[in-house]
Amino acid sequence: MRQVIIIGSGPAGFTAAIYAARANLEPLLIASSVEAGGELMNTTEVENFPGFPEGIMGPELMAKMQEQAERFGTEVLYDDVVSLDLTGDIKKVVLGSGAEHEAESIVFATGSAPRKIGIEGETRLSGHGVSYCATCDGFFFREQQIAVVGGGDSAMEEATFLTKFASKVYVIHRRDELRASKIMQDRARANEKIEFVWNSEVIDVLGDDAVTGILLRDTVDGSERELPLTGVFVAIGNDPRTHLVHQQLELTEHGTVWVDGRTSRTSQPGVFAAGDVVDPTYRQAVTAAASGTTAALDVEHYLAARGDAGAPEVDASEIDGLTDAA
Ligand code: NAP
């Protein structure tokens, strides 16, 4: 049996692993069979992670975090968690391979998944012109006209990146004001290949076997029109990945896992949550990493309180998550 199993391999999971491994907890980290590394694997240059003044590519940053976690003894498994039993004193984790693992504590750091518009053509043509990842699929749209849906930082980032390939990128936004940060907006607005389509929602994606256009509805006057294009990149935010724990952990009104104040303690003793799965607001690589730290420290205190970590007994209920030094 493990002292701690960490589920998730984004900045929260790997940072929790670095701290837990350095505390000699010999963590097992379940990294997913296909999406290891989390959202940063789908991003290009990360310009705002401290310590990299020239920026660093998302996948390279994740590889470095993994290397650091493994250096201190983290074991990484590339498999998917298919079910969890978090209710007992001993937590059970069942993997896609059929393997079962047990642990005294769990760090749940499964992040978030791209939000879908929820229209028929989107599902039908997913992978045939509809995409949720510009860095994965942008290459296929050389010299083509495409659209990015959304008005946040992700949409600006994707649109700007896609101008490397596409001849034209429409940004379709449901309002006349962007949600994105000023620097990302300015970059997109200055790009000649980007055209903003304001006050518009995508009500259908057109095409039989491949995307040929989108149907737009004006959110002000309700009028509809078709826009011919060959690709649609949906960048309208993310939803926390909580399906594994719905019946077992309390969730918030935002759909994120509930945690106790500034700690990572969930409604289930011995289960700690970190990263985008608990954060409806900030959702940055660096805030996820910080919350992974909190989770690992909370695990340490929890195990110490059980008398298993070789540390003096502490009452976990008295810890506010900020009591330990790094
Ligand atoms: P976001 O900030 O929540 O923005 C989502 C955008 O999609 C909003 O403009 C929203 O419109 C629109 N939207 C939501 N649901 C929609 C729907 N059903 N149909 C049409 N449009 C819809 O999400 P995000 O852009 O993914 O960013 C998430 C977080 O990651 C943010 O904190 C962001 O700063 C961060 N991030 C940072 C970077 C960076 O710094 N390099 C890059 C990417 C993301 P409304 O504006 O009308 O609500």
Coordinates of all heavy atoms in Angstrom, one line a residue, residues 43 45-48 115-118 149-157 172-175 177-181 183-184 187 200-202 235-238 276 280-284, ligand 1:
T43 N -0.4 23.7 -25.3 CA -0.1 25.2 -25.4 C 1.2 25.4 -26.0 O 2.0 24.4 -26.1 CB -0.2 25.8 -24.0 OG1 -0.6 27.2 -24.1 CG2 1.0 25.7 -23.2
E45 N 4.0 28.7 -26.2 CA 5.0 29.3 -25.3 C 4.3 29.8 -24.0 O 3.3 30.5 -24.1 CB 5.6 30.5 -26.0 CG 6.8 31.0 -25.3 CD 7.9 31.5 -26.2 OE1 7.7 31.5 -27.4 OE2 9.0 31.8 -25.7
V46 N 4.8 29.4 -22.9 CA 4.3 29.9 -21.6 C 5.2 31.1 -21.2 O 6.4 30.9 -21.0 CB 4.4 28.8 -20.5 CG1 3.9 29.3 -19.2 CG2 3.6 27.6 -21.0
E47 N 4.6 32.3 -21.1 CA 5.4 33.5 -20.9 C 5.4 34.0 -19.5 O 6.1 34.9 -19.1 CB 4.9 34.6 -21.8 CG 5.2 34.4 -23.3 CD 4.6 35.4 -24.2 OE1 3.6 36.1 -23.8 OE2 5.1 35.6 -25.3
N48 N 4.5 33.4 -18.7 CA 4.2 33.9 -17.4 C 4.5 33.0 -16.2 O 4.1 33.2 -15.1 CB 2.8 34.5 -17.3 CG 1.8 33.5 -17.7 OD1 2.1 32.3 -17.9 ND2 0.6 33.9 -17.9
R115 N -14.5 23.0 -22.7 CA -15.9 23.1 -22.7 C -16.4 23.0 -24.2 O -15.8 23.4 -25.1 CB -16.3 24.4 -22.1 CG -17.8 24.6 -21.9 CD -18.1 25.9 -21.1 NE -17.5 25.9 -19.8 CZ -17.1 27.0 -19.1 NH1 -17.2 28.1 -19.7 NH2 -16.6 26.9 -17.9
K116 N -17.6 22.3 -24.3 CA -18.1 22.2 -25.7 C -19.3 23.2 -25.8 O -19.9 23.6 -24.9 CB -18.7 20.8 -25.9 CG -17.6 19.7 -25.7 CD -17.8 18.5 -26.5 CE -16.6 17.7 -26.8 NZ -15.9 17.2 -25.6
I117 N -19.5 23.6 -27.1 CA -20.6 24.5 -27.3 C -21.9 23.8 -27.1 O -22.9 24.4 -26.5 CB -20.6 25.1 -28.8 CG1 -19.3 25.7 -29.1 CG2 -21.7 26.1 -29.0 CD1 -19.1 26.1 -30.6
G118 N -22.0 22.5 -27.5 CA -23.2 21.7 -27.2 C -24.1 21.7 -28.4 O -25.4 21.7 -28.2
V149 N -13.8 30.1 -31.7 CA -14.9 30.6 -30.9 C -14.5 30.9 -29.5 O -13.9 30.1 -28.8 CB -16.0 29.5 -30.9 CG1 -17.3 30.0 -30.2 CG2 -16.3 29.0 -32.3
G150 N -14.9 32.1 -29.0 CA -14.5 32.5 -27.6 C -13.9 33.9 -27.6 O -13.5 34.4 -28.6
G151 N -13.9 34.4 -26.3 CA -13.4 35.8 -26.2 C -12.4 35.9 -25.0 O -12.1 37.0 -24.6
G152 N -11.9 34.8 -24.5 CA -11.0 34.8 -23.4 C -9.5 34.7 -23.9 O -9.2 34.7 -25.1
D153 N -8.6 34.5 -22.9 CA -7.2 34.4 -23.2 C -6.9 33.2 -24.1 O -6.1 33.3 -25.1 CB -6.4 34.2 -21.9 CG -6.1 35.5 -21.2 OD1 -6.2 36.6 -21.9 OD2 -5.9 35.5 -20.0
S154 N -7.7 32.1 -23.9 CA -7.4 30.9 -24.7 C -7.8 31.2 -26.2 O -7.0 30.8 -27.1 CB -8.3 29.7 -24.2 OG -7.9 29.4 -22.9
A155 N -8.9 31.9 -26.4 CA -9.3 32.2 -27.8 C -8.3 33.1 -28.5 O -7.9 32.8 -29.6 CB -10.7 32.8 -27.8
M156 N -7.8 34.1 -27.7 CA -6.8 35.0 -28.3 C -5.5 34.2 -28.6 O -4.9 34.4 -29.7 CB -6.4 36.1 -27.4 CG -7.6 37.0 -27.0 SD -8.5 37.7 -28.4 CE -10.0 36.7 -28.3
E157 N -5.1 33.4 -27.7 CA -3.9 32.6 -27.9 C -4.0 31.7 -29.1 O -3.1 31.6 -29.9 CB -3.6 31.8 -26.6 CG -2.3 31.1 -26.6 CD -2.0 30.5 -25.2 OE1 -2.6 29.5 -24.9 OE2 -1.2 31.0 -24.5
I172 N -15.0 34.5 -33.2 CA -16.4 34.6 -33.1 C -16.7 34.8 -31.6 O -16.4 33.9 -30.8 CB -17.2 33.3 -33.5 CG1 -16.6 32.8 -34.9 CG2 -18.7 33.6 -33.6 CD1 -17.0 33.6 -36.1
H173 N -17.3 35.9 -31.2 CA -17.5 36.2 -29.8 C -19.0 36.6 -29.6 O -19.5 37.4 -30.4 CB -16.6 37.2 -29.3 CG -16.7 37.4 -27.8 ND1 -16.9 36.4 -26.9 CD2 -16.6 38.6 -27.0 CE1 -16.9 36.9 -25.7 NE2 -16.7 38.2 -25.7
R174 N -19.6 36.1 -28.5 CA -21.0 36.4 -28.3 C -21.3 37.8 -27.8 O -22.5 38.1 -27.7 CB -21.6 35.3 -27.3 CG -20.9 35.3 -25.9 CD -21.5 34.1 -25.1 NE -20.9 34.1 -23.8 CZ -21.1 33.1 -22.9 NH1 -21.9 32.1 -23.3 NH2 -20.5 33.1 -21.8
R175 N -20.3 38.5 -27.4 CA -20.5 39.9 -26.9 C -19.7 40.8 -27.8 O -19.1 40.4 -28.8 CB -20.1 40.0 -25.5 CG -20.9 39.2 -24.5 CD -20.5 39.5 -23.1 NE -19.1 39.1 -22.7 CZ -18.3 39.8 -22.0 NH1 -18.6 41.0 -21.6 NH2 -17.1 39.3 -21.7
E177 N -17.3 42.8 -26.4 CA -16.2 43.1 -25.5 C -15.5 41.8 -25.2 O -16.2 40.8 -24.8 CB -16.8 43.7 -24.3 CG -15.8 44.5 -23.4 CD -16.5 45.0 -22.2 OE1 -17.7 45.4 -22.3 OE2 -16.0 44.9 -21.1
L178 N -14.2 41.8 -25.2 CA -13.5 40.5 -24.9 C -13.2 40.4 -23.4 O -13.2 41.3 -22.7 CB -12.1 40.5 -25.6 CG -12.2 40.6 -27.2 CD1 -10.8 40.8 -27.8 CD2 -12.7 39.2 -27.7
R179 N -13.1 39.1 -23.0 CA -12.8 38.8 -21.6 C -11.3 38.7 -21.5 O -10.8 38.8 -20.3 CB -13.5 37.5 -21.3 CG -13.2 37.0 -19.9 CD -14.0 35.7 -19.6 NE -15.4 35.9 -19.7 CZ -16.2 36.3 -18.7 NH1 -15.6 36.6 -17.5 NH2 -17.5 36.5 -18.8
A180 N -10.6 38.5 -22.6 CA -9.1 38.3 -22.5 C -8.4 39.4 -21.9 O -8.8 40.6 -21.9 CB -8.6 38.0 -23.9
S181 N -7.2 39.1 -21.4 CA -6.3 40.1 -20.8 C -5.8 41.1 -21.9 O -5.8 40.7 -23.1 CB -5.1 39.5 -20.1 OG -4.4 38.7 -21.1
I183 N -3.0 42.3 -22.8 CA -1.8 42.0 -23.7 C -2.2 41.0 -24.8 O -1.8 41.1 -25.9 CB -0.6 41.5 -22.8 CG1 0.6 41.3 -23.7 CG2 -0.9 40.2 -22.0 CD1 1.9 41.0 -22.9
M184 N -3.0 40.0 -24.4 CA -3.5 39.0 -25.4 C -4.4 39.6 -26.4 O -4.4 39.3 -27.6 CB -4.2 37.9 -24.7 CG -3.4 37.2 -23.5 SD -2.1 36.2 -24.1 CE -2.9 34.7 -24.3
R187 N -2.4 41.8 -28.9 CA -1.7 41.0 -29.8 C -2.6 40.5 -31.0 O -2.2 40.5 -32.1 CB -1.0 39.8 -29.1 CG 0.1 39.2 -29.8 CD 0.8 38.2 -28.9 NE 1.5 38.8 -27.8 CZ 1.9 38.1 -26.7 NH1 1.7 36.8 -26.6 NH2 2.6 38.7 -25.7
S200 N -22.0 37.4 -31.8 CA -22.4 36.3 -32.6 C -22.2 35.0 -31.9 O -21.2 34.7 -31.3 CB -21.6 36.2 -33.9 OG -21.8 37.4 -34.7
E201 N -23.2 34.1 -32.0 CA -23.0 32.7 -31.4 C -23.2 31.7 -32.5 O -23.9 31.9 -33.5 CB -24.0 32.5 -30.3 CG -25.5 32.7 -30.6 CD -26.3 32.5 -29.3 OE1 -25.8 32.2 -28.2 OE2 -27.6 32.6 -29.5
V202 N -22.4 30.7 -32.4 CA -22.4 29.6 -33.4 C -23.6 28.7 -33.0 O -23.6 28.1 -31.9 CB -21.1 28.8 -33.3 CG1 -21.1 27.7 -34.4 CG2 -19.9 29.7 -33.5
A235 N -12.8 27.5 -28.1 CA -11.9 27.9 -27.0 C -12.8 28.7 -26.0 O -12.5 29.9 -25.8 CB -10.7 28.7 -27.5
I236 N -13.8 28.1 -25.5 CA -14.7 28.8 -24.6 C -14.6 28.4 -23.1 O -15.6 28.6 -22.4 CB -16.2 28.6 -25.1 CG1 -16.5 27.1 -25.1 CG2 -16.4 29.1 -26.5 CD1 -18.0 26.8 -25.4
G237 N -13.4 28.0 -22.8 CA -13.2 27.7 -21.4 C -13.2 26.2 -21.1 O -13.2 25.4 -22.0
N238 N -13.0 25.9 -19.8 CA -12.8 24.5 -19.4 C -13.8 24.2 -18.3 O -14.2 25.1 -17.5 CB -11.4 24.3 -19.0 CG -10.4 24.3 -20.1 OD1 -10.3 25.2 -20.9 ND2 -9.8 23.2 -20.3
D276 N -6.7 23.0 -11.2 CA -7.9 23.5 -11.8 C -9.2 22.8 -11.4 O -10.3 23.4 -11.4 CB -7.8 23.3 -13.4 CG -7.0 24.3 -14.0 OD1 -6.3 25.1 -13.3 OD2 -7.0 24.4 -15.3
P280 N -12.2 27.7 -9.8 CA -13.0 28.2 -10.9 C -12.6 29.6 -11.3 O -13.1 30.2 -12.3 CB -14.4 28.4 -10.2 CG -14.1 28.6 -8.8 CD -12.8 27.9 -8.5
T281 N -11.5 30.2 -10.7 CA -11.2 31.6 -10.9 C -9.9 31.8 -11.6 O -9.8 32.4 -12.7 CB -11.2 32.3 -9.6 OG1 -12.3 32.0 -8.8 CG2 -11.1 33.8 -9.8
Y282 N -8.8 31.4 -11.0 CA -7.4 31.8 -11.5 C -6.9 30.9 -12.6 O -6.4 31.4 -13.6 CB -6.5 31.9 -10.3 CG -7.0 32.9 -9.2 CD1 -7.5 32.4 -8.0 CD2 -7.0 34.2 -9.5 CE1 -8.0 33.3 -7.1 CE2 -7.5 35.1 -8.5 CZ -8.0 34.6 -7.3 OH -8.5 35.5 -6.4
R283 N -6.9 29.7 -12.3 CA -6.6 28.7 -13.4 C -5.3 29.0 -14.2 O -5.3 28.9 -15.4 CB -7.8 28.5 -14.3 CG -9.0 28.1 -13.5 CD -10.2 27.7 -14.3 NE -9.8 26.7 -15.3 CZ -9.7 26.9 -16.6 NH1 -9.9 28.1 -17.1 NH2 -9.3 26.0 -17.3
Q284 N -4.2 29.3 -13.5 CA -2.9 29.5 -14.1 C -2.0 28.3 -13.7 O -2.2 27.7 -12.7 CB -2.3 30.8 -13.6 CG -3.2 32.0 -13.7 CD -3.4 32.4 -15.2 OE1 -2.5 32.5 -15.9 NE2 -4.7 32.5 -15.6
Ligands
NAP1 P1 -12.5 32.1 -20.0 O1 -11.6 33.2 -19.5 O2 -13.6 31.6 -19.1 O3 -13.2 32.6 -21.3 C1 -14.2 31.9 -22.0 C2 -14.7 32.7 -23.2 O4 -15.6 31.9 -23.9 C3 -15.4 33.9 -22.7 O5 -15.2 35.0 -23.6 C4 -16.9 33.5 -22.8 O6 -17.8 34.5 -23.2 C5 -16.9 32.5 -24.0 N1 -17.9 31.4 -23.8 C6 -18.1 30.7 -22.7 N2 -19.1 29.8 -22.9 C7 -19.5 30.0 -24.2 C8 -20.5 29.4 -25.0 N3 -21.3 28.4 -24.6 N4 -20.6 29.9 -26.3 C9 -19.9 31.0 -26.7 N5 -18.9 31.5 -26.0 C10 -18.7 31.1 -24.7 O7 -11.7 30.8 -20.5 P2 -10.2 30.7 -21.1 O8 -10.0 31.7 -22.2 O9 -10.0 29.3 -21.5 O10 -9.3 31.1 -20.0 C11 -9.3 30.4 -18.7 C12 -8.3 30.8 -17.8 O11 -7.0 30.5 -18.3 C13 -8.2 32.3 -17.6 O12 -7.9 32.6 -16.2 C14 -7.1 32.8 -18.5 O13 -6.5 34.0 -18.0 C15 -6.2 31.6 -18.4 N6 -5.3 31.5 -19.6 C16 -4.2 32.3 -19.6 C17 -3.4 32.2 -20.7 C18 -2.1 33.0 -20.7 O14 -1.9 33.8 -19.8 N7 -1.2 32.8 -21.7 C19 -3.8 31.5 -21.9 C20 -5.0 30.8 -21.8 C21 -5.8 30.9 -20.7 P3 -18.1 35.7 -22.2 O15 -16.9 36.6 -22.2 O16 -19.3 36.4 -22.8 O17 -18.4 35.1 -20.9

